[in-house]
């Protein structure tokens, strides 16, 4: 992890690999060692690809509906690799990746679990759902509920800072449903003491690798960069206008913190009250199928990655090797499972820069 921002150039949009799936893909995650790529499907199945041995594909079954969030983590002390998943079926599940079995099913949410996140030490797992009541934090030693954080808006994402000092949440706002305004909230650890909060309608967020920034994206299509070194001064965040048509639904920092990638939604998203499934309505001619790469320090658009044929629902990155090279995984939620529902991993190779 770098503590300084570096200049990156010579980005290539070459598609490294396209992986087809039998169902729509709603979530993706790389393992900490970058060897495994997990994809959460609309039928509740989780598929894990070994990029060093494609024949070693695993399928984890248990969820009864779309898997909306995935996070890997090595269990402290044992080196055991776990995968947490959140689903429309209102459960959070934890899986043993090596054994390919479910370790525990965590219940308590009453609607879709939108986001899951492990604390850096792996001792806690946080989850948030659509029920407009609370965010839950679980202990990983006995899987008991450690704390419940009330939230009167619609929680959309949770994250722990890599240095273990902060926990953050963000939420959307739908006044027509009587919800409070969306907010980005910061809590100091280990006691989850409420700290700074900023009004903003946000769908996604992530801490930078060195924990100095918190990036968030929402309905106004602006990436906001909150400087955590001056969070008590209530200074407004820096903004990057992304050009995504109907807002930002996923973003991710590069491993060195120098870049951010983002993807947007192509049309309005509505939720069917009977099935609790996300539905799409209107603006079908305004599909935003692009992934964009941004320079964190300057806010400059470095590259637009094209090639998807339908909505790109999420993005994630990992370190490929010791060279100054990153792999970009873009997840696509489309109407045709094999063609437009595939996950494409796009790599770009920046020149090495001086610290």
């Amino acid at each position: 992890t770098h503590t300084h921002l570096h200049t990156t150039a010579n980005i290539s949009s070459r598609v490294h690999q396209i992986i087809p799936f039998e169902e729509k893909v709603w979530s993706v995650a790389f393992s900490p060692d970058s060897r495994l790529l997990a994809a959460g499907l609309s039928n509740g199945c989780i598929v894990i690809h070994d990029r060093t041995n494609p024949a070693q594909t695993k399928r984890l079954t248990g969820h009864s509906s779309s898997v909306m969030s995935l996070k890997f983590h090595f269990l402290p002390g044992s080196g055991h690799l776990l995968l947490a998943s959140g689903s429309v079926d209102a459960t959070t599940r934890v899986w043993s990746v090596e054994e390919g079995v479910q370790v525990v099913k965590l219940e308590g949410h009453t609607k879709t679990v939108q986001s899951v996140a492990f604390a850096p030490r792996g001792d806690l797992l946080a989850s948030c759902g659509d029920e407009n009541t609370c965010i839950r934090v679980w202990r990983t030693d006995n899987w008991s509920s450690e704390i419940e954080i009330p939230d009167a808006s619609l929680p959309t994402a949770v994250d722990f800072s890599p240095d273990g000092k902060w926990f953050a949440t963000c939420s959307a706002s739908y006044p027509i449903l009587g919800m409070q305004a969306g907010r980005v909230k910061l809590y100091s650890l280990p006691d989850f003491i409420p700290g700074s909060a900023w009004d903003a309608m946000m769908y996604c967020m992530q801490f930078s690798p060195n924990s100095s920034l918190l990036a968030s994206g929402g309905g106004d299509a602006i990436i906001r960069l909150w400087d955590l070194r001056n969070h008590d001064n209530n200074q407004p965040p820096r903004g990057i206008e992304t050009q995504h048509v109907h807002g930002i639904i996923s973003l991710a920092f590069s491993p060195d913190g120098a870049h951010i990638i983002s993807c947007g939604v192509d049309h309005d998203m509505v939720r069917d009250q009977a099935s609790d499934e996300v539905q799409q309505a209107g603006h079908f001619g305004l599909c935003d199928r692009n992934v964009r790469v941004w320079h964190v320090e300057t806010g400059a658009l470095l590259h637009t990655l094209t090639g998807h044929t339908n909505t790109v629902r999420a993005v994630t990155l990992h370190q490929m090797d010791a060279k100054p090279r990153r792999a970009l995984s873009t997840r696509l939620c489309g109407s045709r499972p094999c063609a437009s529902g595939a996950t494409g991993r796009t790599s770009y190779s920046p020149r090495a820069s001086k610290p």
Side-chain angles (χ1 to χ4, degrees):
T1 300
H2 299 278
T3 56
H4 300 280
L5 301 178
H6 306 285
T7 301
T8 301
N10 194 31
I11 295 176
S12 168
S13 60
R14 177 177 60 88
V15 175
H16 182 72
Q17 184 179 2
I18 297 177
I19 305 173
F21 295 94
E22 74 276 11
E23 296 284 342
K24 297 178 183 178
V25 183
W26 283 93
S27 54
V28 286
F30 280 111
S31 60
D33 61 4
S34 77
R35 182 174 60 88
L36 305 176
L37 172 64
L41 307 186
S42 60
N43 62 0
C45 181
I46 300 169
V47 181
I48 300 178
H49 284 272
D50 187 332
R51 70 182 188 87
T52 63
N53 187 359
Q56 296 296 319
T57 299
K58 292 184 179 180
R59 301 177 66 88
L60 308 178
T61 58
H63 284 298
S64 60
S65 193
S66 302
V67 179
M68 305 301 291
S69 181
L70 293 167
K71 288 292 173 60
F72 281 99
H73 204 282
F74 283 109
L75 193 64
S78 67
H80 196 62
L81 183 60
L82 300 180
L83 176 66
S85 59
S87 170
V88 173
D89 66 12
T91 67
T92 300
R93 298 172 191 247
V94 181
W95 311 83
S96 167
V97 175
E98 288 87 352
E99 298 176 6
V101 298
Q102 178 179 293
V103 175
V104 65
K105 178 173 72 172
L106 303 173
E107 297 178 298
H109 293 292
T110 58
K111 292 187 179 180
T112 300
V113 178
Q114 292 283 2
S115 178
V116 294
F118 280 104
R121 294 186 302 172
D123 56 332
L124 298 174
L125 172 67
S127 61
C128 70
D130 275 357
E131 66 270 15
N132 190 28
T133 55
C134 71
I135 293 161
R136 298 177 181 274
V137 181
W138 317 83
R139 294 181 57 89
T140 60
D141 56 355
N142 57 14
W143 303 112
S144 63
S145 181
E146 171 73 4
I147 189 172
E148 295 181 5
I149 303 173
D151 196 312
S153 55
L154 181 65
T156 53
V158 292
D159 197 19
F160 290 91
S161 64
D163 63 5
K165 294 181 178 180
W166 304 106
F167 175 71
T169 69
C170 70
S171 58
S173 173
Y174 297 93
I176 193 173
L177 301 179
M179 296 180 183
Q180 292 184 3
R183 307 197 85 187
V184 176
K185 302 177 183 177
L186 202 61
Y187 300 82
S188 62
L189 298 175
D191 298 320
F192 291 88
I193 299 173
S196 300
W198 306 276
D199 290 336
M201 182 175 178
M202 295 297 158
Y203 303 142
C204 55
M205 66 177 182
Q206 189 180 85
F207 285 97
S208 64
N210 67 1
S211 303
S212 65
L213 297 174
L214 176 64
S216 61
D220 60 4
I222 297 175
I223 295 175
R224 287 179 168 81
L225 297 169
W226 314 87
D227 190 341
L228 301 183
R229 294 163 296 190
N230 301 310
H231 69 96
D232 289 331
N233 298 332
N234 292 319
Q235 294 183 353
R238 290 190 289 124
I240 301 175
E241 296 187 8
T242 64
Q243 308 167 30
H244 289 296
V245 178
H246 288 287
I248 302 164
I249 53 176
S250 181
L251 53 76
F253 278 97
S254 61
D256 61 6
H259 308 98
I260 285 182
I261 58 172
S262 63
C263 67
V265 69
D266 62 343
H267 36 53
D268 295 337
M269 308 297 288
V270 297
R271 188 174 298 282
D272 182 84
Q273 296 299 319
S275 65
D276 199 36
E277 288 281 0
V278 173
Q279 308 254 330
Q280 302 169 344
H283 303 294
F284 287 101
L286 299 176
C287 288
D288 184 355
R289 307 178 182 97
N290 300 322
V291 175
R292 293 182 171 90
V293 183
W294 308 92
H295 193 280
V296 170
E297 187 172 16
T298 66
L301 174 62
L302 299 178
H303 208 77
T304 299
L305 307 179
T306 61
H308 288 295
T309 59
N310 211 313
T311 309
V312 180
R313 181 63 172 74
V315 289
T316 187
L317 297 97
H318 76 92
Q319 189 74 36
M320 288 186 68
D321 48 39
K323 298 179 182 179
R325 180 178 172 91
R326 299 128 183 109
L328 166 64
S329 174
T330 60
R331 173 169 56 81
L332 176 65
C333 173
S335 57
R336 291 177 297 170
C338 186
S340 61
T343 297
R345 193 177 74 198
T346 306
S347 65
Y348 63 98
S349 305
R351 291 194 299 264
S353 56
K354 297 179 181 180

